[in-house]
Amino acid sequence: MSTNSDAGARRPVLALVGATGAVGTVMIDIMNARPSVPWGEVRLIASPRSAGRKITVRGAELTVVALSAEAFDGVDIAMFDVPDEVSAEWAPVAAARGAVAVDNSGAFRMDPEVPLVVPEVNADQISARPKGIIANPNCTTLSMMAALGALHREFELRELVVASYQAASGGGQAAIDRLYGELEALAGKEVGVRAGDVAEALEAAGLPLSESPFPAPLAFNVVPWAGSLKDEGWTSEELKVRNESRKILGIPDLKVSATCVRVPVVTTHSLAVHATFAREVTVEQAHKIFAGQPTIVLVDDPTAKKFPTPVDVVGEDPTYVGRVRQALDFPNTLDFFVCGDNLRKGAALNTYEIAEELVDRL
Ligand SMILES: NC(=O)c1ccc[n+]([C@@H]2O[C@H](COP(=O)([O-])OP(=O)(O)OC[C@H]3O[C@@H](n4cnc5c(N)ncnc54)[C@H](OP(=O)(O)O)[C@@H]3O)[C@@H](O)[C@H]2O)c1
């Protein structure tokens, strides 16, 4: 990889917008770990706050530049790992300058003219991008898509009931900092034994709830809330799981009910999935399908108490599946537990895989 625009004339130029954030940082780790990359140049872009910062990518020290229209000149693929409103404004600018924008935010996911892509499920949709924009699904939906896509191909998914156990890092760097701050402030204290004592201890330590990205203490707790309030008590995150699952799997009338819960885990989202199919499916059949899917690791040995947990999966590319059971009271239904690193497959890795798929389809 070269680092100046002249040397990369024949190889695609990749821009990473949001290079300094939680997802952008993992994106750089992924690029550094790849045996080779197809890029003639990588351009790192963030807010003016980070302009001038040096970050090493594949042995070359690159300088972060501030987001501007000119920053996209000569760019073939621009990956956006920035807040929704920044993507909404700037992904079309990148596209107008000739780049294909691959957006990780929620700004374009449900736009009918923007494909929502998980390469192992619907890579064929990458070429149909009338706006020059491709969207990456949200991390919660993505964590179960490899498993559900593989089962849907064989048994035809009809209904989906999920409960998520979402890591703090799904809320970005500020949310990670808050969880560590709470854990540090409460370490060694006897809390969680009386209603309200955790919030009081945090307030006393200078961490009032009013300054938290979470609506309740996350340390020593679980919080049944992710995203913002939408109609009839649903959260935006729960509706994303419903709408994005339908779009990715191509099942517009898929019945979906999700409850999204934040847990005091730094990284890796987990989901308890209850999936009903048109045809009967056994645990043995599901095991065979999961074992044959390269982006899934099956860890399912109940007698040895082997199953995936988030701390085993953080930093891993595949999603992990276990606790596969045939529902006792529901026909054609499987229950299983899935863990996926929300910053890797749930965000940076899937976006990067889309960019790699794009190289031959520019
Ligand atoms: N965290 C996850 O698990 C996850 C999963 C899937 C999708 N996503 C989505 O990915 C996106 C990034 O999330 P994150 O967790 O990485 O957030 P983050 O840690 O807060 O990082 C945000 C990045 O955006 C940049 N940025 C913010 N405002 C900007 C502006 N006005 N102009 C240019 N750059 C700006 C920041 O640059 P500075 O450092 O210069 O401020 C930083 O690089 C979000 O849309 C998020 O919803 C996140």
Side-chain angles (χ1 to χ4, degrees):
M1 187 192 84
S2 67
T3 54
N4 65 67
S5 47
D6 298 331
R10 295 234 180 86
R11 302 175 78 201
V13 174
L14 179 77
L16 172 51
V17 190
T20 53
V23 178
T25 301
V26 174
M27 188 72 79
I28 291 167
D29 291 346
I30 288 169
M31 260 192 279
N32 284 337
R34 283 289 201 252
S36 65
V37 295
W39 320 118
E41 179 195 343
V42 172
R43 207 171 288 172
L44 304 182
I45 302 174
S47 80
R49 295 180 288 276
S50 303
R53 205 173 128 186
K54 310 277 185 204
I55 298 178
T56 301
V57 181
R58 300 191 69 81
E61 192 179 75
L62 306 187
T63 303
V64 176
V65 299
L67 181 57
S68 69
E70 295 69 37
F72 296 107
D73 285 344
V75 169
D76 296 289
I77 300 172
M79 300 188 296
F80 281 78
D81 298 313
V82 291
D84 289 4
E85 64 281 9
V86 181
S87 285
E89 181 180 350
W90 290 93
V93 174
R97 296 237 161 186
V100 180
V102 185
D103 182 38
N104 218 332
S105 83
F108 299 98
R109 288 178 188 144
M110 295 316 297
D111 185 326
E113 291 189 294
V114 173
L116 183 64
V117 173
V118 181
E120 63 266 60
V121 180
N122 61 350
D124 53 306
Q125 298 193 9
I126 281 175
S127 304
R129 40 172 203 264
K131 289 189 171 169
I133 300 171
I134 296 170
N136 192 68
N138 87 87
C139 43
T140 314
T141 309
L142 249 177
S143 300
M144 61 181 175
M145 270 307 125
L148 283 175
L151 291 172
H152 174 55
R153 274 195 292 276
E154 295 291 328
F155 304 107
E156 207 183 316
L157 184 63
R158 288 277 169 86
E159 295 176 17
L160 188 59
V161 180
V162 298
S164 72
Y165 304 79
Q166 296 182 218
S169 59
Q173 194 58 49
I176 300 173
D177 294 344
R178 173 74 191 192
L179 176 58
Y180 278 127
E182 290 190 1
L183 291 172
E184 202 177 317
L186 301 176
K189 294 202 168 69
E190 193 179 283
V191 287
V193 294
R194 179 174 57 76
D197 62 358
V198 171
E200 282 165 24
L202 291 174
E203 181 92 37
L207 292 174
L209 258 189
S210 56
E211 290 174 11
S212 174
F214 308 112
L218 190 58
F220 296 90
N221 213 5
V222 295
V223 182
W225 191 268
S228 55
L229 179 62
K230 297 293 176 192
D231 287 349
E232 298 185 52
W234 295 98
T235 66
S236 55
E237 189 85 348
E238 289 158 351
L239 296 182
K240 281 179 196 174
V241 170
R242 178 171 182 254
N243 296 333
E244 294 181 25
S245 296
R246 289 174 164 186
K247 184 169 175 180
I248 297 160
L249 295 166
I251 318 173
D253 58 352
L254 181 67
K255 290 182 179 171
V256 185
S257 188
T259 299
C260 290
V261 181
R262 194 76 70 179
V263 294
V265 164
V266 177
T267 297
T268 294
H269 289 350
S270 306
L271 294 108
V273 180
H274 176 90
T276 300
F277 299 88
R279 293 180 282 285
E280 189 184 355
V281 46
T282 65
V283 170
E284 292 67 32
Q285 287 170 315
H287 273 182
K288 205 170 155 203
I289 285 170
F290 292 146
Q293 166 73 43
T295 57
I296 290 176
V297 174
L298 179 67
V299 183
D300 196 13
D301 183 353
T303 49
K305 296 198 177 61
K306 297 275 187 213
F307 39 74
T309 71
V311 293
D312 305 319
V313 174
V314 60
E316 294 286 308
D317 286 351
T319 47
Y320 282 57
V321 180
R323 302 288 331 276
V324 184
R325 289 148 292 149
Q326 212 165 4
L328 296 177
D329 298 323
F330 301 87
N332 305 348
T333 299
L334 286 179
D335 284 88
F336 58 89
F337 194 70
V338 58
C339 293
D341 183 325
N342 52 296
L343 297 175
R344 290 187 79 89
K345 185 60 183 175
L349 178 65
N350 198 69
T351 313
Y352 193 74
E353 288 170 343
I354 294 172
E356 285 179 327
E357 288 274 343
L358 266 170
V359 170
D360 295 328
R361 310 188 208 191
L362 285 169

